[in-house]
Amino acid sequence: MTKKRIYLNAFDMNCAGHQSPGLWTHPDDKSSTYKDAEYWTHLAKVLEKGKFDAIFLADVLGTYDVYQGSRDAAVRQGAQVPVNDPAFVVPIMAQVTKHLGFGLTASTSYEHPYLFARRISTLDHLTKGRIGWNIVTSYLNSAARNLGLDQQINHDNRYDIADEYLDVVYKLWEASWEDDAVVVDKKKGIYADPEKVHDINHDGEFYKVPGAHLCEPSPQRTPVIFQAGASPKGTKFAAKHAELVFVGSTSMERTKNTVKAFREEAVKAGRKADEIKILTLITPIVGATQEEAEAKYLDYKKHASYEGSLALFGGWTGVDMDGVDPQEKIQYVKNDAIQSTLKSMSDFTVEEVAEFIGVGGMGPVVVGSPEQVADSLEEWIDVTGVDGFNIAYAVTPGTFEEFVEYVIPILQERGLVRKEYEDGTLRKNLFGSDYLPDHHHGRQFRKRLLPVASV
Amino acid sequence: MTKKRIYLNAFDMNCAGHQSPGLWTHPDDKSSTYKDAEYWTHLAKVLEKGKFDAIFLADVLGTYDVYQGSRDAAVRQGAQVPVNDPAFVVPIMAQVTKHLGFGLTASTSYEHPYLFARRISTLDHLTKGRIGWNIVTSYLNSAARNLGLDQQINHDNRYDIADEYLDVVYKLWEASWEDDAVVVDKKKGIYADPEKVHDINHDGEFYKVPGAHLCEPSPQRTPVIFQAGASPKGTKFAAKHAELVFVGSTSMERTKNTVKAFREEAVKAGRKADEIKILTLITPIVGATQEEAEAKYLDYKKHASYEGSLALFGGWTGVDMDGVDPQEKIQYVKNDAIQSTLKSMSDFTVEEVAEFIGVGGMGPVVVGSPEQVADSLEEWIDVTGVDGFNIAYAVTPGTFEEFVEYVIPILQERGLVRKEYEDGTLRKNLFGSDYLPDHHHGRQFRKRLLPVASV
């Protein structure tokens, strides 16, 4: 392709009403069938047909219980509750696709890295190298309380723990089993060469992991690293570790600034300015004509839930908007986890916040004919400097089906979306190589821990 | 069926060489392809064709590093290392089957019950109610050390923790969401009724879980409970919780005693003597004739690994047989976790132990023509009082394929294995009901925690 290609993820979650609270009431929406394998196999096939790079699966480990001081509104609206574990739909989707990648959200706060490393290696084996890991540190107090803590760990500490957590899993994935450790030599009776399987001897502030990884090397070893942290600590963390970064914002101008700042941070962290791909959240609403698309958007808005939106807002920000005049402008809310997005809403009234979140959650909506939507996406790329999009749904799988059916062919004709996948792993498809690049922090442990000859 | 039907599980593990160390060198063995989805989809289809009740997936979280004071022998022989997470092959097998159940091993020692409960509910949803949970408390020091402990928790304490762990997950599965909490009423805009979603308020010695379960009720709510503990504490635990129990022994006489003792323990725990189904480990080796089967067995024995067997034995018992004269009889080894099986080996020499474990691991091998193998299984049932078998492989999937092809039809003709599955969940297939029986300990939390009208 002559132009810079657009990276595309689909954004979903193992629950009903992910980023569009209340839209589960729409007759076209099937998100309440999230419990069934059929929902996921169908969606995966649609996305692979559209040459999406990956499906990005969000997750939370608690309920949204800030609004009105209880989880009732969230439960009533199915606002990200009930919510199932996203990891198990990955092998199901992998069975009906060959190239689609899977960006799995998992928190560094509640699971031991030794077990987590095995889970990811297992998935990377079973999908033949199509796993990405969206690293989160968990922001809900309701999760912390049920997982044995009085409240969530302080935000900056969470990132310190996450940083060490990453070192542990890099060591297990990259520097425990040498590339040729497993030989399966039936004649000599050697399954693996014990000389080539190494203890990682990790002895840190938060974790002690002396032994070797339980798994043999998977196709990518380390999964593709996704991250969405937008706080100062989160940005530094992403600049050091991430290969794909997600941003969300209400305006192009703000997104442009975020992208610029992030690329500078990447360079400070020793990375190339453009090696980390930045995807922004967007919800496309496509009609045969502009009028049809706008009518569709209005119809969706009618199904959006005011209390569902404010339940999500409460969980994201820790701020309860109950009792606040809907016409009052929200103040700038201090919350490290997602403050940049909130900053972009500070001029909104409460009602406008609810309306904005109601369709497409924390990202903008683009509404129009297939050509208009394609034009809008191009404009977002040109103006903001993002590398692609995290496509959310208004109704699922309809939003994805229509985007694949009507918009993807136009983007392909314009040379912005490829017509065929590369063969191989997710990282190969994204960056041309199965493994982390040599200069990546995670790859350094090979030089430190493995015998010279094997690196 | 007029006779008591035989319950059948297949016994496998997400690794090479599960119970037959060294047999991965046999030309017919494909266990080294455990990393690939194709291995599991093929196996699942074979087992469903044979009307197996479930596939039982073993697991360990460490390596066998007692023999010769290192993991080298285990790594060299692929003796349960490398080992992948068993949970992810379950949704893959579920996609190609409709009735086969999945008995998943998971430890109560290293994962928080709040997260674990969500994992199991998710799997139970995705498989439409075909999940069983084999509860283990983890016996390997090598696992404990890598998971943040200096050594494994004392055996009896592990069972105390497990007992509270079970209470937490029962409360989440049984008594948090009422049966009709989720309504998905698109007209009224009510996804779930918050009045019918309850906090569990668990405040115990080891866990504090105040909130509600993250998942809506799955088809079985609580998975079918599998257990294999044979120590006094383990037996009491199984008598209280288990629905299916696994035993393993070298002789019919010992198995008969174990079964009798266990049924007495079940009655003491308020269960019916025969409501817990007991399955014993066995490896069938089938040939067209007795001679052919015996020749096959001899061939397998040639591929068994002496050091692989002693590596497994070391991990299971904590005793290093390195340097001990192969002709010397082993002493009775005290180890709570699996002492009953070891007791049954106390008359064996070291060499005999290695030979016994080499094909079929901790259970006996039955060798013969299809009729002879069927006769042997009937004899085991009649003499010992077990309800069925946990079928291990010598070579995989060959052992399972041959058993399904040649032995199952005979057992079906004799009315001992059904010709069609019941429709519905694993528990329905096994016991005729989707849910735990009303008198089961786990079901009591409904009466204690839910409003009277809903129980």
Side-chain angles (χ1 to χ4, degrees):
Chain A
M1 287 183 282
T2 49
K3 294 192 198 173
K4 205 173 126 179
R5 89 161 167 98
I6 297 179
Y7 291 80
L8 285 178
N9 279 1
F11 197 31
D12 204 343
M13 191 165 172
N14 202 349
C15 65
H18 173 210
Q19 292 279 315
S20 295
L23 265 289
W24 63 268
T25 59
H26 195 281
D28 291 347
D29 184 72
K30 292 179 183 158
S31 65
S32 64
T33 65
Y34 72 93
K35 303 175 301 290
D36 303 325
E38 294 72 16
Y39 171 79
W40 299 100
T41 53
H42 174 78
L43 179 60
K45 285 189 250 184
V46 167
L47 298 175
E48 185 151 284
K49 183 184 165 203
K51 305 292 180 289
F52 272 66
D53 292 287
I55 176 168
F56 172 32
L57 296 160
D59 193 25
V60 290
L61 297 173
T63 47
Y64 292 76
D65 59 3
V66 172
Y67 180 65
Q68 297 177 331
S70 92
R71 66 168 174 255
D72 288 1
V75 168
R76 199 157 38 235
Q77 294 305 326
Q80 303 192 4
V81 59
V83 57
N84 281 352
D85 191 316
F88 295 115
V89 302
V90 169
I92 288 173
M93 291 191 281
Q95 283 303 95
V96 297
T97 54
K98 283 198 168 153
H99 305 284
L100 184 69
F102 306 98
L104 182 64
T105 295
S107 170
T108 52
S109 293
Y110 303 116
E111 182 174 15
H112 196 283
Y114 189 66
L115 291 186
F116 178 71
R118 187 174 78 140
R119 284 196 222 276
I120 290 291
S121 294
T122 301
L123 281 171
D124 205 47
H125 276 300
L126 289 170
T127 62
K128 303 203 195 301
R130 292 192 273 153
I131 299 299
W133 171 28
N134 175 43
I135 306 170
V136 297
T137 63
S138 296
Y139 54 86
L140 292 174
N141 272 324
S142 58
R145 280 195 304 270
N146 288 311
L147 287 153
L149 304 171
D150 288 335
Q151 59 169 20
Q152 58 177 329
I153 305 157
N154 163 292
H155 172 269
D156 282 6
N157 280 357
R158 291 208 308 273
Y159 273 104
D160 291 339
I161 294 170
D163 222 40
E164 188 183 325
Y165 193 104
L166 268 281
D167 283 0
V168 174
V169 293
Y170 287 141
K171 288 176 185 176
L172 291 167
W173 288 327
E174 296 286 337
S176 182
W177 292 65
E178 294 184 35
D179 293 341
D180 55 355
V182 176
V183 289
V184 194
D185 186 330
K186 291 196 171 192
K187 279 206 173 145
K188 290 189 186 152
I190 298 173
Y191 193 87
D193 180 352
E195 300 293 317
K196 295 184 174 178
V197 180
H198 305 281
D199 287 339
I200 66 163
N201 294 309
H202 180 86
D203 186 4
E205 187 181 349
F206 305 106
Y207 301 105
K208 292 192 200 319
V209 181
H213 192 27
L214 290 168
C215 309
E216 59 183 285
S218 71
Q220 299 183 119
R221 287 186 170 269
T222 296
V224 176
I225 304 287
F226 292 18
Q227 230 271 323
S231 66
K233 270 264 190 180
T235 302
K236 267 195 206 313
F237 183 87
K240 178 176 172 185
H241 298 286
E243 299 175 87
L244 268 185
V245 159
F246 302 107
V247 298
S249 170
T250 51
S251 77
M252 285 196 196
E253 192 58 25
R254 285 184 185 279
T255 305
K256 182 182 171 180
N257 293 339
T258 304
V259 169
K260 185 164 171 290
F262 185 78
R263 300 225 189 267
E264 288 167 8
E265 202 65 52
V267 171
K268 278 190 219 162
R271 318 275 300 270
K272 286 172 214 133
D274 62 351
E275 78 172 77
I276 306 173
K277 300 304 173 194
I278 304 177
L279 277 59
T280 193
L281 180 62
I282 216 157
T283 301
I285 296 175
V286 189
T289 61
Q290 188 180 344
E291 293 66 38
E292 198 184 298
E294 278 170 5
K296 197 183 272 187
Y297 184 36
L298 279 178
D299 177 39
Y300 291 159
K301 278 183 157 182
K302 278 185 216 152
H303 287 82
S305 162
Y306 185 83
E307 73 166 356
S309 293
L310 293 185
L312 291 180
F313 181 87
W316 291 333
T317 63
V319 176
D320 180 4
M321 285 296 170
D322 187 38
V324 180
D325 180 354
Q327 308 307 324
E328 196 171 313
K329 283 194 182 183
I330 68 165
Q331 302 296 316
Y332 162 61
V333 181
K334 181 149 180 55
N335 178 291
D336 288 334
I338 41 173
Q339 69 177 14
S340 67
T341 307
L342 281 170
K343 206 182 272 181
S344 71
M345 284 189 181
S346 57
D347 291 337
F348 287 20
T349 64
V350 175
E351 200 170 63
E352 285 166 345
V353 166
E355 195 182 332
F356 185 80
I357 292 175
V359 181
M362 301 286 265
V365 174
V366 293
V367 183
S369 69
E371 287 75 15
Q372 286 172 320
V373 169
D375 290 348
S376 284
L377 297 185
E378 274 212 70
E379 192 189 355
W380 269 88
I381 298 271
D382 293 342
V383 172
T384 68
V386 296
D387 302 290
F389 302 96
N390 213 15
I391 304 284
Y393 68 81
V395 294
T396 185
T399 299
F400 299 117
E401 287 170 337
E402 291 172 0
F403 187 77
V404 166
E405 188 76 19
Y406 304 113
V407 182
I408 289 287
I410 295 169
L411 295 173
Q412 286 176 325
E413 280 316 301
R414 294 183 187 180
L416 294 166
V417 168
R418 59 194 170 178
K419 293 182 177 171
E420 293 301 333
Y421 286 98
E422 298 283 319
D423 257 341
T425 64
L426 174 58
R427 190 177 279 110
K428 188 87 179 275
N429 261 300
L430 293 168
F431 305 113
S433 159
D434 290 333
Y435 302 120
L436 284 174
D438 280 342
H439 65 279
H440 189 282
H441 173 71
R443 200 72 175 167
Q444 305 316 305
F445 295 106
R446 294 174 69 80
K447 289 170 202 149
R448 281 193 233 160
L449 298 179
L450 292 181
V452 176
S454 73
V455 179
Chain B
M1 285 182 283
T2 49
K3 294 192 201 174
K4 204 173 126 178
R5 90 162 166 97
I6 297 179
Y7 291 81
L8 285 178
N9 279 0
F11 198 31
D12 203 344
M13 190 166 173
N14 203 347
C15 65
H18 173 209
Q19 292 278 316
S20 296
L23 265 290
W24 63 267
T25 60
H26 195 282
D28 291 347
D29 185 73
K30 291 179 183 157
S31 64
S32 64
T33 66
Y34 72 94
K35 304 174 301 291
D36 304 325
E38 294 73 15
Y39 171 79
W40 299 100
T41 53
H42 174 77
L43 179 60
K45 285 189 249 182
V46 168
L47 298 175
E48 185 151 284
K49 184 183 164 203
K51 306 292 180 288
F52 272 66
D53 292 287
I55 177 169
F56 172 32
L57 295 160
D59 193 26
V60 290
L61 297 173
T63 48
Y64 292 76
D65 60 1
V66 172
Y67 180 63
Q68 298 179 331
S70 92
R71 67 169 172 254
D72 288 1
V75 168
R76 199 157 39 233
Q77 294 305 327
Q80 303 192 3
V81 56
V83 56
N84 280 352
D85 192 314
F88 296 116
V89 303
V90 169
I92 288 173
M93 290 191 283
Q95 284 302 96
V96 296
T97 54
K98 283 197 170 154
H99 305 284
L100 184 69
F102 306 99
L104 183 63
T105 296
S107 171
T108 53
S109 294
Y110 303 116
E111 183 174 13
H112 197 282
Y114 189 68
L115 292 186
F116 178 71
R118 187 174 77 140
R119 282 196 222 278
I120 290 291
S121 294
T122 302
L123 281 171
D124 204 48
H125 277 298
L126 289 171
T127 62
K128 304 205 194 299
R130 292 192 273 153
I131 299 299
W133 171 27
N134 175 44
I135 306 170
V136 296
T137 63
S138 296
Y139 53 87
L140 292 174
N141 272 324
S142 59
R145 280 195 304 270
N146 288 311
L147 286 153
L149 305 171
D150 287 335
Q151 59 168 22
Q152 57 176 328
I153 305 158
N154 162 292
H155 172 268
D156 282 6
N157 279 356
R158 291 208 308 274
Y159 274 104
D160 291 339
I161 295 171
D163 221 40
E164 188 182 325
Y165 194 105
L166 268 281
D167 282 359
V168 174
V169 294
Y170 287 139
K171 288 176 185 176
L172 292 167
W173 288 327
E174 297 286 338
S176 182
W177 292 65
E178 293 183 35
D179 292 342
D180 56 354
V182 176
V183 289
V184 194
D185 186 329
K186 291 194 170 193
K187 281 205 174 145
K188 290 188 187 153
I190 298 174
Y191 194 87
D193 180 352
E195 300 293 317
K196 296 186 174 178
V197 180
H198 305 280
D199 286 338
I200 66 163
N201 293 311
H202 180 87
D203 187 3
E205 186 181 348
F206 305 106
Y207 301 104
K208 292 190 200 319
V209 181
H213 191 28
L214 291 168
C215 309
E216 59 183 284
S218 71
Q220 301 184 117
R221 289 187 171 267
T222 296
V224 176
I225 304 287
F226 293 18
Q227 230 269 323
S231 67
K233 270 264 189 179
T235 303
K236 268 195 204 311
F237 183 88
K240 178 176 173 185
H241 299 287
E243 300 175 87
L244 268 185
V245 159
F246 301 107
V247 297
S249 171
T250 51
S251 76
M252 286 195 196
E253 191 58 27
R254 285 184 184 281
T255 304
K256 182 182 172 181
N257 293 339
T258 304
V259 168
K260 186 166 172 288
F262 185 77
R263 301 227 189 267
E264 287 167 9
E265 201 66 52
V267 171
K268 277 190 220 162
R271 318 275 300 271
K272 285 171 215 133
D274 62 351
E275 81 171 77
I276 306 174
K277 299 305 172 195
I278 304 176
L279 276 59
T280 192
L281 180 62
I282 215 156
T283 302
I285 295 175
V286 188
T289 62
Q290 187 180 346
E291 293 68 37
E292 199 184 297
E294 279 171 6
K296 198 184 269 187
Y297 185 34
L298 280 178
D299 178 39
Y300 290 160
K301 278 184 157 180
K302 280 186 215 151
H303 287 83
S305 163
Y306 185 83
E307 73 166 358
S309 294
L310 294 186
L312 291 180
F313 181 86
W316 290 333
T317 62
V319 176
D320 181 4
M321 285 295 171
D322 186 38
V324 180
D325 180 355
Q327 307 308 326
E328 197 170 311
K329 284 193 179 180
I330 68 164
Q331 301 295 317
Y332 164 60
V333 180
K334 182 149 180 56
N335 179 291
D336 288 334
I338 41 173
Q339 68 177 13
S340 67
T341 307
L342 281 170
K343 206 183 270 181
S344 71
M345 283 188 181
S346 58
D347 290 336
F348 288 20
T349 65
V350 175
E351 200 170 63
E352 284 166 346
V353 167
E355 195 182 332
F356 185 81
I357 293 176
V359 181
M362 302 286 265
V365 174
V366 293
V367 183
S369 68
E371 287 75 14
Q372 287 172 319
V373 169
D375 291 346
S376 285
L377 297 184
E378 276 212 69
E379 191 189 356
W380 269 88
I381 299 269
D382 293 341
V383 172
T384 68
V386 296
D387 301 290
F389 302 96
N390 214 14
I391 304 285
Y393 67 82
V395 295
T396 185
T399 298
F400 298 117
E401 288 170 336
E402 290 172 0
F403 186 78
V404 166
E405 187 75 20
Y406 302 113
V407 182
I408 289 288
I410 295 169
L411 295 173
Q412 286 175 325
E413 279 317 301
R414 295 183 187 179
L416 295 166
V417 168
R418 59 194 170 180
K419 292 182 177 171
E420 294 302 333
Y421 288 97
E422 298 284 317
D423 257 343
T425 65
L426 173 59
R427 188 177 281 109
K428 188 88 179 273
N429 261 298
L430 292 169
F431 305 113
S433 158
D434 290 334
Y435 302 120
L436 283 174
D438 280 342
H439 64 280
H440 188 283
H441 172 72
R443 200 71 176 168
Q444 306 317 305
F445 296 106
R446 294 173 69 80
K447 289 170 205 154
R448 281 194 234 160
L449 299 178
L450 293 182
V452 176
S454 74
V455 178

